[in-house]
Amino acid sequence: PLAFPLLAGPGALTTMLLLTTGAGDAPERLGATMAGLALVLLLTWIALRSAGALLRVLGETGANVVGRLLGLLLAALAVQFIVDGITAVVAALRSV
C-alpha cells in the first residue's frame, strides 16, 4: 500500500509529464523517455521482487542500518537543497 503512492505519486507523474512534453514532436526523444521509464519500472520490479531475499541476507539489524543510512543521506540532501536555495536568493538580491 505504501509503495504505490511513492512509485506513481505526484513527483513521478509530474516528471513524466514534463519529460514527454519536453520531447515535443521528436519521436526519438519520446521513445528514449519511454525506454527510460520502462527501465526504471523493470529495476523497481526487480528490487521489489528481491526485497525478501535481501532482507534475509541483511537481517533485521542490517535493514535498520541501511534505513538509517538512507535517512541520513536524505537529510543531507535536504540541507544541501536549502543551502543552494538560500545561496541563489542571496545572489539574486545582490544583483538587483
Side-chain angles (χ1 to χ4, degrees):
L2 181 62
F4 183 74
L6 294 175
L7 293 175
L13 294 173
T14 302
T15 300
M16 284 308 298
L17 180 66
L18 290 173
L19 288 173
T20 54
T21 302
D25 292 333
E28 62 279 354
R29 290 183 68 192
L30 185 59
T33 301
M34 291 302 133
L37 173 65
L39 178 64
V40 168
L41 287 174
L42 176 67
L43 292 173
T44 303
W45 179 79
I46 291 170
L48 290 175
R49 291 290 295 173
S50 62
L54 183 60
L55 186 59
R56 283 191 297 276
V57 170
L58 289 177
E60 187 174 337
T61 303
N64 288 336
V65 168
V66 169
R68 289 180 189 269
L69 284 174
L70 291 176
L72 183 64
L73 177 66
L74 180 62
L77 285 170
V79 169
Q80 185 62 50
F81 288 149
I82 291 170
V83 169
D84 290 346
I86 291 171
T87 303
V89 167
V90 169
L93 290 175
R94 284 186 182 167
S95 67
V96 171

